[in-house]
């Protein structure tokens, strides 16, 4: 096994970081460039695992304090520099709701838990990934969790279980296998978990650990070195070009991991193959040496530059920002990383106290931003109408949670109104969630307990399946399974007397979004036998009618909320950002919250026909918000308050202002439990 510095590993780092950076900056032909992170995981496991194993074999122990000091010296300086400079830039340009989210990111990344944060917040109304300044630190958190897991695992096996070297290697192999199988098995149903969480990524780093330990005891025959290196390089490049985000990590992650393992294995023999020489080229080595700073800087530069400028005007601007990234990375490596790593004056006590102090500062900054709701006072008053709307998708989830048993087991259910057995079932899609504040207000005013069940992009209709371009196969399957489970649960919900259906009906009836989300399409198909096979609007109408009939047969009075008119070109986040950066005036923003009545009616015509027919035949009671919002025109701006979050969801303020129209759902004859 070669000892000392291995320049070809820096060359492999260069391949990894360049694939990630070029992919994120939109360079064509690199559809799987994100797998560079997986290559990094293997390299990290190879180096850290090899060093820890050598220390354990040589001394019989692992000096944890020294190990973590080395990690701090290596990782902390550049990380804190990026965080603090991103904070300064964000203060100037970021809107409050996104700056608030940045505060949480700073706290999570500083305590090695950003992967957990992004896993938990990967929801329907989450701040988009394109605006998450520290999104890329999820991989650093996974690695840092690995730095906790591996040395403690080795110590436990060595001293706690008194295991010998081969037995330790066997235990690590079993953990590797369990993590790999869990990743492959669960990715189709839990892709967010397997992407972000350490247990499902541990096998990638353990792949590096296992090959590093194996090479301590058995060298590769020299004649194999070149073909294995070529195979590893080919597999790595193939992954960067061919792998796709859909269904990742899963089995696809095996490709870049195997490629990296083969490269490390093939280049570990003395002498030099052509691949090893290429990876050891001074240019590749330099990029590899600055790879950590380059990875740290590339995402904040990309996010903040697009946030400030909007989408790039062309490849020239993208190239300029990419060059800026490389310049910042080199400066960070040269004047931040290297001085701290090499200075004899930065003794362990200074290093530790400095890292803790700066860490406390970043956590305090993050907490201040978060608790201050993004510090909206930074912006002039005329902006705050839309800034407030852009942050009004937060709700109090204190009374929501996954049901552990019973007929609703596994479903997320929110209690609404006063305590007690629910009298009203509130069932819908993301529009139900948008109305949550108004529903809560109306339920408390009437003194009527209720439960709320919602799922984004999922029509509250029995007997259909949906495929949505804005969703995932997992979410599509979950929609049908939840609706089917609720269908089976209805007879057991004996206290419930009424049901209110809320949905983006025009979306389901027309099959696509409108205005800013016209690219979103949804296809409905029959999941259970209906009277006749229908498609499109006819299927929606038939399925909705059948759902109402089934609800009534279960003894429920059915209410339906007419969808609010869609302000087709409005998005509070984009409007706020454009106003803040001088790309839009206040009057232009107000125009986006105004829509002619004929245009509004044209969009909702098909869906309204279904609702009105059922209301006319007295099968449902229709709750209509249009009289409150529309006269000759439909307006979403009242007394300086925007009632809209985007082009089809209302804000919490809008929901509370319109809550009186919801009163009939919670009043008028609520009686004893139905039998």
């Amino acid at each position: 096994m070669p000892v000392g510095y291995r320049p070809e590993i820096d060359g492999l780092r260069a391949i990894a970081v360049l694939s990630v950076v070029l992919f994120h900056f939109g360079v064509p032909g690199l559809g799987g460039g994100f797998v560079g992170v997986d290559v990094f995981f293997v390299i990290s496991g190879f180096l850290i695992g090899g060093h820890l194993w050598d220390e354990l074999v040589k001394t019989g122990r692992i000096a944890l304090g020294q190990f973590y000091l080395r990690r701090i010296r290596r990782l902390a300086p550049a990380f804190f520099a990026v965080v603090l400079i991103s904070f300064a830039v964000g203060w100037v340009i970021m809107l409050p709701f996104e700056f608030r989210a940045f505060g949480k990111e700073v706290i999570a990344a500083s305590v090695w838990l950003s992967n957990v944060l992004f896993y938990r917040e990967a929801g329907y109304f989450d701040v988009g990934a394109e605006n998450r300044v520290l999104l890329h630190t999820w991989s650093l958190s996974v690695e840092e969790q690995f730095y906790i897991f591996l040395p403690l695992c080795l110590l436990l096996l060595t001293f706690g279980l008194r295991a010998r070297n081969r037995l330790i290697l066997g235990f690590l192999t079993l953990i590797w296998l369990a993590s790999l199988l869990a990743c492959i098995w669960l990715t189709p149903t839990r892709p967010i978990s397997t992407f972000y969480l350490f247990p499902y990524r541990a096998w990638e780093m353990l792949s590096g650990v296992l090959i590093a330990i194996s090479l301590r005891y058995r060298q590769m025959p020299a004649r194999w070195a070149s073909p294995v290196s070529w195979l590893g390089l080919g597999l790595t490049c193939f992954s960067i070009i061919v792998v796709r985000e859909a269904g990742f990590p899963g089995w696809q992650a095996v490709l870049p991991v195997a490629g990296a393992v083969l490269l490390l294995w093939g280049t570990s023999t003395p002498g030099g193959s052509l691949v090893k020489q290429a990876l050891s080229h001074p240019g590749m080595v330099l990029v590899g040496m600055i790879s950590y700073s380059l990875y740290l800087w590339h995402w904040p530069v990309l996010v903040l530059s697009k946030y400030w400028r909007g989408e790039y005007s062309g490849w020239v601007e993208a190239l300029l920002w990419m060059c800026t990234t490389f310049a910042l990375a080199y400066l960070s490596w040269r004047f931040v990383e290297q001085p701290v790593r090499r200075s004899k004056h930065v003794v362990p006590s200074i290093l530790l106290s400095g890292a803790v102090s700066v860490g406390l500062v970043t956590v305090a900054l993050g907490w201040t931003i978060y608790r201050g709701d993004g510090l909206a006072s930074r912006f002039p008053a005329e902006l705050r109408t839309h800034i407030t709307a852009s942050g009004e998708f937060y709700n109090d989830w204190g009374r929501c949670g996954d049901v552990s048993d019973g007929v609703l087991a596994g479903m997320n259910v929110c209690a609404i109104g006063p305590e007690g057995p629910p009298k009203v079932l509130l069932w819908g899609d993301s529009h139900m969630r948008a109305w949550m504040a108004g529903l809560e207000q109306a339920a408390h005013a009437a003194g009527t307990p209720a439960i709320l069940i919602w799922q984004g992009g999922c029509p509250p209709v029995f007997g259909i399946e949906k495929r949505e371009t804005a969703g995932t196969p997992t979410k599509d399957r979950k929609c049908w399974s939840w609706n089917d489970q609720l269908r089976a649960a209805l007879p057991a919900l004996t206290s419930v007397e009424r049901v209110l259906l809320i949905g983006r009906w025009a979306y389901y009836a027309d099959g696509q979004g409108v205005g800013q989300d016209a690219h979103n399409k949804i296809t409905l198909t029959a999941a259970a036998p209906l009277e006749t096979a229908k498609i499109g609007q006819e299927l929606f109408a038939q399925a909705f009618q059948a759902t109402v009939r089934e609800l009534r047969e279960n003894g429920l009075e059915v209410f339906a909320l007419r969808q609010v008119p869609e302000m087709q070109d409005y998005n509070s986040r984009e409007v706020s950002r454009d106003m803040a950066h001088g790309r839009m005036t206040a009057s232009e923003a107000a125009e986006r919250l105004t829509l002619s009545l004929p245009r509004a009616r044209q969009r909702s015509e098909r869906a309204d026909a279904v609702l009105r027919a059922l209301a006319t035949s007295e099968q449902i009671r229709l709750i209509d918000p249009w009289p409150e919002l529309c006269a000759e025109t439909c307006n979403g701006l009242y007394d300086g308050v925007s009632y809209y979050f985007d082009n089809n969801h209302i804000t919490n303020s809008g929901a509370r202002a319109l809550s009186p129209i919801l009163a009939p759902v919670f009043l008028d004859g609520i009686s004893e439990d139905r039998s």
Side-chain angles (χ1 to χ4, degrees):
M1 181 71 182
V3 294
Y5 173 65
R6 293 180 55 185
E8 71 274 9
I9 293 182
D10 268 329
L12 183 54
R13 282 194 179 109
I15 291 177
V17 74
L18 287 175
S19 69
V20 173
V21 172
L22 297 179
F23 167 76
H24 283 149
F25 273 93
V27 174
L30 302 177
F34 55 89
V35 303
V37 171
D38 304 85
V39 175
F40 272 127
F41 284 161
V42 177
I43 296 171
S44 182
F46 182 82
L47 295 175
I48 298 301
H51 291 156
L52 290 175
W53 186 261
D54 288 343
E55 183 179 0
L56 188 63
V57 170
K58 182 182 293 187
T59 67
R61 58 188 291 273
I62 293 174
L64 287 177
Q66 293 299 316
F67 172 74
Y68 289 122
L69 281 172
R70 289 195 299 270
R71 294 297 87 211
I72 291 172
R73 190 182 293 272
R74 172 74 176 92
L75 302 175
F79 168 77
F80 286 129
V82 169
V83 168
L84 292 174
I85 292 176
S86 296
F87 168 80
V89 176
W91 173 275
V92 176
I93 70 171
M94 291 187 76
L95 298 179
F97 82 95
E98 288 157 332
F99 203 43
R100 180 182 187 270
F102 174 70
K104 284 197 291 185
E105 295 170 37
V106 169
I107 297 170
S110 298
V111 297
W112 301 359
L113 290 174
S114 60
N115 62 324
V116 177
L117 172 69
F118 296 127
Y119 157 72
R120 291 175 61 87
E121 294 196 342
Y124 192 86
F125 281 98
D126 180 31
V127 176
E130 70 277 5
N131 295 319
R132 290 287 208 175
V133 179
L134 298 182
L135 178 68
H136 63 320
T137 62
W138 74 268
S139 64
L140 303 182
S141 291
V142 169
E143 286 199 29
E144 287 154 350
Q145 290 156 22
F146 169 71
Y147 299 150
I148 295 173
F149 161 80
L150 182 63
L152 294 180
C153 181
L154 291 174
L155 288 174
L156 175 63
L157 291 171
T158 303
F159 300 111
L161 303 180
R162 302 293 179 185
R164 296 182 180 275
N165 290 355
R166 288 187 178 179
L167 190 56
I168 294 174
L169 194 59
F171 272 113
L172 292 178
T173 302
L174 286 176
I175 296 171
W176 170 86
L177 183 61
S179 174
L180 170 61
L181 292 178
C183 178
I184 294 174
W185 180 41
L186 293 175
T187 291
T189 56
R190 299 179 61 185
I192 297 173
S193 300
T194 55
F195 185 88
Y196 282 118
L197 299 184
F198 169 72
Y200 308 108
R201 294 290 194 147
W203 69 274
E204 301 186 35
M205 287 159 284
L206 284 173
S207 297
V209 173
L210 292 173
I211 191 64
I213 295 175
S214 299
L215 285 170
R216 263 62 179 177
Y217 300 101
R218 178 172 296 181
Q219 291 293 310
M220 171 182 288
R223 66 180 182 276
W224 291 7
S226 183
V228 168
S229 298
W230 278 109
L231 179 60
L233 181 62
L235 195 54
T236 302
C237 294
F238 177 80
S239 305
I240 292 170
I241 296 170
V242 172
V243 168
R244 291 296 179 264
E245 294 174 85
F248 193 86
W251 66 268
Q252 291 188 95
V254 173
L255 301 177
V257 170
V261 166
L262 291 172
L263 272 171
L264 291 169
W265 190 23
T267 58
S268 64
T269 58
S273 66
L274 188 59
V275 172
K276 189 173 182 178
Q277 292 174 17
L279 291 177
S280 302
H281 185 277
M284 295 290 286
V285 170
L286 176 61
V287 175
M289 291 173 70
I290 68 171
S291 61
Y292 175 59
S293 280
L294 184 55
Y295 181 78
L296 277 177
W297 278 108
H298 89 281
W299 188 253
V301 169
L302 179 68
V303 169
L304 292 172
S305 63
K306 285 191 172 183
Y307 193 97
W308 174 49
R309 293 277 299 161
E311 287 298 320
Y312 295 151
S313 58
W315 67 268
V316 173
E317 184 177 3
L319 182 61
L320 289 173
W321 285 113
M322 211 182 311
C323 291
T324 301
T325 300
F326 276 87
L328 288 171
Y330 179 80
L331 293 173
S332 176
W333 171 77
R334 177 68 178 81
F335 296 107
V336 179
E337 284 191 65
Q338 292 296 94
V340 175
R341 291 179 67 183
R342 300 187 181 280
S343 175
K344 296 179 180 179
H345 300 293
V346 185
V347 296
S349 59
I350 293 177
L351 176 67
L352 184 60
S353 61
V356 170
S357 299
V358 179
L360 290 174
V361 169
T362 59
V363 169
L365 286 174
W367 181 253
T368 301
I369 299 167
Y370 176 69
R371 293 296 296 174
D373 284 331
L375 309 177
S377 58
R378 295 174 292 133
F379 294 96
E382 62 268 17
L383 257 173
R384 294 180 195 168
T385 292
H386 307 283
I387 283 176
T388 300
S390 72
E392 282 216 3
F393 51 87
Y394 295 109
N395 286 106
D396 180 7
W397 301 103
R399 298 181 66 193
C400 301
D402 291 337
V403 178
S404 58
D405 53 25
V407 294
L408 298 178
M411 302 182 74
N412 189 273
V413 177
C414 301
I416 296 290
E419 299 288 343
K423 299 289 187 180
V424 179
L425 169 64
L426 308 168
W427 175 29
D429 58 12
S430 60
H431 281 223
M432 174 68 75
R433 182 249 192 267
W435 278 90
M436 185 176 177
L439 292 164
E440 176 78 27
Q441 185 170 297
H444 273 294
T448 302
I451 55 172
L452 182 151
I453 298 174
W454 75 280
Q455 193 176 155
C458 181
V461 177
F462 296 136
I464 62 170
E465 294 179 349
K466 62 100 174 180
R467 292 191 307 277
E468 190 178 10
T469 57
T472 64
T474 300
K475 289 183 178 180
D476 291 343
R477 288 190 297 269
K478 186 178 180 182
C479 173
W480 175 82
S481 65
W482 269 35
N483 287 355
D484 200 49
Q485 182 179 353
L486 181 60
R487 184 184 212 171
L490 286 176
L493 301 177
T494 56
S495 66
V496 174
E497 300 180 3
R498 294 176 172 181
V499 58
L500 171 63
L501 307 176
I502 298 181
R504 190 183 181 188
W505 310 121
Y507 182 48
Y508 307 130
D510 290 4
Q512 69 178 74
V514 68
Q516 288 213 340
D517 75 328
H519 57 283
N520 291 335
K521 301 187 186 313
I522 188 167
T523 302
L524 306 181
T525 56
L530 296 172
E531 292 178 5
T532 57
K534 301 288 186 180
I535 59 173
Q537 186 229 347
E538 291 182 324
L539 174 60
F540 168 73
Q542 186 188 61
F544 191 86
Q545 291 162 1
T547 298
V548 170
R549 183 166 57 250
E550 188 168 340
L551 291 170
R552 288 168 59 85
E553 288 171 355
N554 276 274
L556 297 172
E557 185 179 6
V558 183
F559 290 75
L561 179 68
R562 187 184 183 190
Q563 178 190 337
V564 294
E566 294 184 336
M567 300 298 167
Q568 301 180 10
D569 299 316
Y570 183 74
N571 184 304
S572 60
R573 297 173 175 179
E574 295 181 7
V575 166
S576 299
R577 195 176 303 132
D578 287 344
M579 289 181 67
H581 302 147
R583 296 191 291 266
M584 183 180 293
T585 65
S587 60
E588 290 172 335
E591 287 178 9
R592 296 200 176 192
L593 282 168
T594 303
L595 189 69
S596 69
L597 193 55
R599 192 178 176 195
R601 285 173 173 164
Q602 182 181 15
R603 164 61 175 171
S604 63
E605 182 178 3
R606 292 180 179 178
D608 285 348
V610 177
L611 296 178
R612 286 202 183 97
L614 290 168
T616 301
S617 61
E618 299 185 349
Q619 296 180 64
I620 65 170
R621 293 180 63 180
L622 185 62
I623 307 296
D624 189 358
W626 283 51
E628 307 297 324
L629 298 171
C630 302
E632 295 181 359
T633 60
C634 297
N635 295 293
L637 189 63
Y638 293 88
D639 296 326
V641 176
S642 173
Y643 281 14
Y644 281 75
F645 162 64
D646 58 15
N647 71 348
N648 65 95
H649 294 94
I650 62 171
T651 60
N652 294 339
S653 294
R656 293 190 188 98
L658 296 171
S659 67
I661 70 170
L662 302 169
V665 178
F666 301 96
L667 296 172
D668 298 345
I670 291 287
S671 60
E672 300 300 322
D673 294 0
R674 62 190 172 95
S675 58

